[in-house]
């Protein structure tokens, strides 16, 4: 949710931190701030709005610093997405102790902050913000005034906090270190190991330019960072050894390059992302699927009674597609739950069942909580994630990587299609295991797997320049409402298409199963209402034609997503977005692309901030 970057070393901390925050600005952008150690004191600059406002303020202020002619080599920065306290300079991070010797940045929600704040105020502490975060710095300061070293003060403070947190602290009293901590599922804490320098960030793109050697903190771990390395302890004080992982992502891939927006870039990267997702996982001669990090024996697969998919937002829509894949290919009953609802209904999950968490970031708090709930009830735990080393990947019994590469735009695109393909692979893999004794059914599963060979090329065909998107943007940018309709496996695409439009263009849109249109939404249809109908050639094609007829009978405007060569649709719809012919179970991957492109062009035409839509953040790491 919030972006955090910290640095300790020999270079200019401000330059490194601001550059890292720029790469993480998608995580929060209602305000930003930076704290720098300057000649044994902490300099704090904060600004409301985009990061550029903070950069300008830092540049103005640095001329008056004691170290104006030298580099400040220790610091921490933050981009905020508000939870407690409205966006304002006083609520922007970092927050400091009353004497200005300790500074903190924080991601998460402190559930017991009100009682902690009351306790501190009774001791004479004056609060200067409306945030829950400020209690952290005052607690650390209190313990340090009582004689605790900074690390022990951090441990004592963290033990008092309830909820999920990611915290980074600096102190002018101990200027040779940073303290970083992770408690619960409040978001990632990634430590980068360099030569004579150490970095910390809430997400690896923030530091990837400087090092690919990353250590990921797990829950209830506190790290002391110095320029020469790190020491990690559990909250009970035990030192633990952490593995250093080498990240393969190229930092250039986190840049826009020739594209106007990250979202546009990521839409056009989908052919490559799907190639990477499939590569090495399918033997196209035999049709065998191998998932190296997710294995299950034939006996366990045969005993698998049910799969529960938990996810949020776009990932939940992907999971709804996956239900059709897992039931259609592997014949395993599958339920899909929002992560935010799953654990509050006492789900009937247990032994001989699997829980599948889908999350691009691997740090979505609600999804992680749902996964934990499933594990406590005895389920096998799987995850589909994009961010390497994320919490969802680490806590699972097995995982499948999306291999989409960094996704910076807040509105997910390539992670959506990659996660659908990952579920397709999972379905084929489970079918191989459960149908091992049935040659005909096993060959059918192999045929499904072979169908993937042509998918990246089919998606790439959809990314050619097409003037119809500009035409649609010009025609409908001023509309206030859209209706999206789909049936069968493409019904979740109606939900996803509507979500994309809402997220980035701020046009109200609703996705519906097309057969439900006459049970309510049909009342909305008139000559002002664009209705997008997903009407590809599949088993429910005739039903979709009927829905289009009903829309046209009420003077509705029909935008159809249809299979190339369909002359019937061409006559009935006002506009057609074509996709190539493909096996029915793979059509959702193809139909996603025109829906993404339409939303993008409408948002650009309306002058919206495509990559950083209002009120949204890339990774929602609080409930």
């Amino acid at each position: 949710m919030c972006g955090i970057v910290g640095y300790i070393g020999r270079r200019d901390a401000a330059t490194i931190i601001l550059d890292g925050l720029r790469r993480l600005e998608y995580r929060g952008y209602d305000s930003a701030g930076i704290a720098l150690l300057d000649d044994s004191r902490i300099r704090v600059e904060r600004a409301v709005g985009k990061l550029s406002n903070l950069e300008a303020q830092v540049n103005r202020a640095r001329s008056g610093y004691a170290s104006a002619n030298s580099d400040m080599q220790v610091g921490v920065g933050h981009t905020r997405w508000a939870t407690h306290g409205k966006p304002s300079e006083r609520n922007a991070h970092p927050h400091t102790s009353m004497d200005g010797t300790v500074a903190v940045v924080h991601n998460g929600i402190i559930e017991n902050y009100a009682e902690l704040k009351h306790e501190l105020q009774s001791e004479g502490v004056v609060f200067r913000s409306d945030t829950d975060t400020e209690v952290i710095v005052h607690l650390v300061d209190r313990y340090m005034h009582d004689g605790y070293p900074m690390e022990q003060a951090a441990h004592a403070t963290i033990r008092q906090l309830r909820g999920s947190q990611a915290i980074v602290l600096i102190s002018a009293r101990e200027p040779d270190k940073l303290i970083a901590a992770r408690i619960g599922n409040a978001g990632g804490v990634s430590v980068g190991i360099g030569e004579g320098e150490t970095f910390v960030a809430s997400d690896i793109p923030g530091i990837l330019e400087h090092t690919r050697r990353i250590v990921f903190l797990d829950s209830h771990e506190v790290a002391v960072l110095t320029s020469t390395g790190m020491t990690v302890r559990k909250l009970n004080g035990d030192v633990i050894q952490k593995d250093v992982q080498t990240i393969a992502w190229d930092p250039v891939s986190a840049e826009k390059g020739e594209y106007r927006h990250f979202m546009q870039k990521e839409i056009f990267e989908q052919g490559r992302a799907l190639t990477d997702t499939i590569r090495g996982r399918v033997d196209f001669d035999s049709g065998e699927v191998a998932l190296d990090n997710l294995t299950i024996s034939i006996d366990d697969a045969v005993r698998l009674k049910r799969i529960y998919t938990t996810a949020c937002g776009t990932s939940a829509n992907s999971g709804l597609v996956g239900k059709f894949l897992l039931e259609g290919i592997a014949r395993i009953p599958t339920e899909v739950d929002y992560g935010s609802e799953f654990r509050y209904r006492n789900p009937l999950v247990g032994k001989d069942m699997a829980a599948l968490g889908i999350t691009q970031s691997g740090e979505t708090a609600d999804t992680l909580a749902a996964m934990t709930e499933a594990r406590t009830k005895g389920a096998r735990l799987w995850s589909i994630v994009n961010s390497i080393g994320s919490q969802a990947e680490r806590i699972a019994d097995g995982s499948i990587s999306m291999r989409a590469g960094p996704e910076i735009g807040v509105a997910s695109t390539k992670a959506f299609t990659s996660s659908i393909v990952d579920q397709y692979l999972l379905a084929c893999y489970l079918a191989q295991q459960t149908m091992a004794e049935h040659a005909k059914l096993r060959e059918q599963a192999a045929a499904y797997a072979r169908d993937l060979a042509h998918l990246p090329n089919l998606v790439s065909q959809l990314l050619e320049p097409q003037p119809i998107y500009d035409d649609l943007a010009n025609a409908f940018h001023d509309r206030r409402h859209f209706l999206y309709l789909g049936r069968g496996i493409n019904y979740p695409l109606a939900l996803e298409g509507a979500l994309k439009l809402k997220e980035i263009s701020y046009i109200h849109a609703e996705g519906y199963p097309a057969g439900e249109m006459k049970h309510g939404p049909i009342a909305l249809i008139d000559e002002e209402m664009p209705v997008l109908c997903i009407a590809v050639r599949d088993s429910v094609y005739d039903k979709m034609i009927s829905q289009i007829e009903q829309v046209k009978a009420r003077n509705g405007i029909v935008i159809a997503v249809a299979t190339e060569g369909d002359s019937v649709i061409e006559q009935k719809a006002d506009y057609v977005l074509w996709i190539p012919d493909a096996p029915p179970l793979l059509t959702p991957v193809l139909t996603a692309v025109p829906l993404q492109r339409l939303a993008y062009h409408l948002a650009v035409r309306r002058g919206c901030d495509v990559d950083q839509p209002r009120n949204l953040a890339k990774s929602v790491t609080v409930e």
Side-chain angles (χ1 to χ4, degrees):
M1 182 176 57
C2 301
I4 294 172
V5 179
Y7 175 78
I8 183 168
R10 296 169 296 195
R11 292 191 281 165
D12 178 40
T15 300
I16 291 169
I17 291 167
L18 289 170
D19 181 66
L21 291 177
R22 192 177 307 110
R23 299 172 192 277
L24 298 184
E25 196 175 9
Y26 59 92
R27 291 180 66 101
Y29 39 84
D30 60 42
S31 58
I34 190 170
L36 300 164
L37 281 175
D38 175 31
D39 196 25
S40 298
R41 65 172 293 180
I42 295 177
R43 298 280 191 175
V44 175
E45 301 294 340
R46 302 184 296 187
V48 176
K50 296 297 182 68
L51 185 63
S52 57
N53 297 338
L54 175 65
E55 290 174 316
Q57 187 166 315
V58 169
N59 290 334
R60 288 192 299 269
R62 288 185 69 173
S63 61
Y65 290 177
S67 57
N69 296 316
S70 63
D71 293 340
M72 289 173 282
Q73 299 171 337
V74 181
V76 64
H78 188 273
T79 59
R80 181 173 186 254
W81 189 69
T83 54
H84 290 76
K86 66 181 181 180
S88 64
E89 185 175 330
R90 68 183 256 116
N91 290 330
H93 298 211
H95 294 289
T96 59
S97 58
M98 289 177 64
D99 63 4
T101 61
V102 184
V104 66
V105 294
H106 167 234
N107 185 6
I109 292 177
I110 302 169
E111 295 173 2
N112 60 330
Y113 90 98
E115 60 194 77
L116 291 172
K117 182 175 181 178
H118 178 74
E119 174 188 326
L120 288 162
Q121 286 176 322
S122 70
E123 297 172 1
V125 173
V126 176
F127 281 74
R128 293 173 288 193
S129 79
D130 307 310
T131 71
D132 57 341
T133 299
E134 197 178 348
V135 301
I136 299 172
V137 74
H138 293 310
L139 286 169
V140 171
D141 181 60
R142 182 178 70 181
Y143 285 115
M144 292 186 76
H145 272 108
D146 288 343
Y148 285 56
M150 183 181 177
E151 181 182 5
Q152 291 182 23
H155 278 256
T157 296
I158 290 165
R159 283 193 288 266
Q160 290 188 255
L161 306 179
R162 291 204 304 266
S164 296
Q165 329 292 335
I167 299 165
V168 180
L169 291 154
I170 62 172
S171 174
R173 299 175 216 164
E174 297 184 35
D176 59 342
K177 60 176 65 81
L178 297 175
I179 302 289
R182 177 174 187 165
I183 305 95
N185 301 322
V189 178
S190 305
V191 178
I193 309 300
E195 297 295 330
E197 57 187 358
T198 305
F199 310 81
V200 63
S202 52
D203 205 357
I204 58 175
I207 56 178
L208 194 59
E209 181 182 8
H210 306 289
T211 180
R212 296 187 185 183
R213 300 178 64 230
I214 306 293
V215 173
F216 299 99
L217 295 191
D218 289 309
S219 182
H220 294 89
E221 293 181 352
V222 182
V224 178
L225 313 181
T226 67
S227 61
T228 57
M230 65 184 293
T231 302
V232 182
R233 299 179 190 272
K234 287 287 190 182
L235 280 180
N236 63 9
D238 292 344
V239 175
I240 57 175
Q241 299 300 315
K242 300 291 290 184
D243 292 332
V244 179
Q245 299 190 34
T246 301
I247 304 302
W249 287 353
D250 180 348
V252 175
S253 65
E255 300 293 340
K256 290 179 197 165
E258 63 185 288
Y259 297 97
R260 183 175 177 184
H261 299 97
F262 280 115
M263 182 181 178
Q264 183 188 29
K265 176 177 183 278
E266 289 152 9
I267 289 171
F268 279 81
E269 286 177 336
Q270 285 177 108
R272 189 272 307 158
L274 295 179
T275 299
D276 289 346
T277 295
I278 297 166
R279 182 183 288 120
R281 290 171 166 170
V282 182
D283 182 329
F284 288 108
D285 291 328
S286 67
E288 294 288 309
V289 172
L291 299 174
D292 293 341
N293 295 321
L294 190 152
T295 56
I296 183 172
S297 69
I298 291 175
D299 289 343
D300 285 344
V302 170
R303 286 198 297 268
L304 199 60
K305 297 176 182 176
R306 186 173 300 275
I307 295 173
Y308 283 86
T309 299
T310 63
C312 301
T314 285
S315 291
N317 293 336
S318 171
L320 289 170
V321 177
K323 173 181 171 67
F324 284 88
L325 301 175
L326 290 162
E327 293 186 346
I329 297 174
R331 308 303 298 161
I332 298 175
T334 302
E335 293 189 22
V336 183
D337 257 299
Y338 288 114
S340 56
E341 294 292 330
F342 180 78
R343 63 195 171 113
Y344 296 111
R345 66 173 181 84
N346 193 21
L348 300 176
V349 59
K351 187 179 177 182
D352 294 332
M353 299 181 189
L356 172 64
I358 305 175
T359 160
Q360 189 282 140
S361 69
E363 305 291 350
T364 304
D366 287 320
T367 302
L368 290 171
M371 292 172 68
T372 301
E373 174 76 7
R375 165 160 282 163
T376 63
K377 292 179 176 291
R380 184 185 299 269
L381 199 58
W382 293 332
S383 64
I384 293 176
V385 298
N386 191 39
S387 295
I388 301 166
S390 63
Q391 183 83 339
E393 182 181 69
R394 297 199 303 276
I395 68 173
D397 301 309
S399 65
I400 307 173
S401 171
M402 295 180 195
R403 297 181 180 174
E407 188 177 70
I408 306 302
V410 167
S412 182
T413 51
K414 61 180 179 175
F416 175 69
T417 49
S418 294
S419 64
I420 291 175
V421 172
D422 283 329
Q423 291 171 91
Y424 190 100
L425 289 165
L426 175 60
C428 292
Y429 173 75
L430 291 173
Q432 289 171 189
Q433 304 296 86
T434 58
M435 300 170 184
E437 304 301 322
H438 305 279
K440 184 176 180 181
L441 294 176
R442 187 176 176 87
E443 176 51 35
Q444 185 180 54
Y448 282 125
R450 292 189 192 100
D451 285 340
L452 288 168
H454 305 291
L455 183 62
N457 181 57
L458 294 175
V459 169
S460 295
Q461 291 176 33
L462 292 168
L463 299 172
E464 297 295 327
Q466 296 183 38
I468 189 171
Y469 292 105
D470 285 327
D471 294 342
L472 288 168
N474 289 330
F476 299 115
H477 70 276
D478 58 349
R479 301 303 167 98
R480 298 178 60 191
H481 307 282
F482 268 70
L483 182 63
Y484 284 66
L485 301 176
R487 293 193 82 135
I489 197 170
N490 280 296
Y491 155 56
L493 271 294
L495 298 177
E496 176 62 13
L499 177 61
K500 282 291 155 286
L501 193 66
K502 285 183 280 196
E503 284 179 316
I504 62 171
S505 76
Y506 316 142
I507 296 173
H508 172 253
E510 292 296 331
Y512 261 86
E516 291 296 300
M517 180 184 70
K518 56 185 172 293
H519 297 287
I522 198 169
L524 298 171
I525 296 172
D526 60 18
E527 64 277 359
E528 293 296 317
M529 170 70 83
V531 182
L532 191 142
C533 299
I534 303 172
V536 297
R537 284 206 186 100
D538 59 12
S539 61
V540 291
Y541 172 78
D542 290 340
K543 301 293 185 183
M544 284 305 305
I545 293 296
S546 174
Q547 307 303 321
I548 290 172
E549 295 278 14
Q550 292 180 53
V551 172
K552 293 303 294 180
R554 289 156 180 83
N555 298 318
I557 303 164
V558 173
I559 305 168
V561 177
T563 307
E564 288 176 351
D566 186 344
S567 58
V568 174
I569 287 284
E570 200 166 22
Q571 296 300 315
K572 294 182 180 296
D574 299 283
Y575 303 88
V576 182
L577 301 172
W578 299 108
I579 67 166
D581 192 20
L585 292 181
L586 289 175
T587 56
V589 177
L590 301 178
T591 56
V593 177
L595 301 182
Q596 293 166 357
R597 294 186 71 179
L598 175 61
Y600 172 79
H601 280 263
L602 280 163
V604 171
R605 180 64 177 80
R606 286 167 63 87
C608 299
D609 190 337
V610 172
D611 286 333
Q612 298 175 356
R614 67 190 182 204
N615 303 332
L616 296 177
K618 184 64 176 174
S619 179
V620 181
T621 55
V622 296
E623 292 190 57

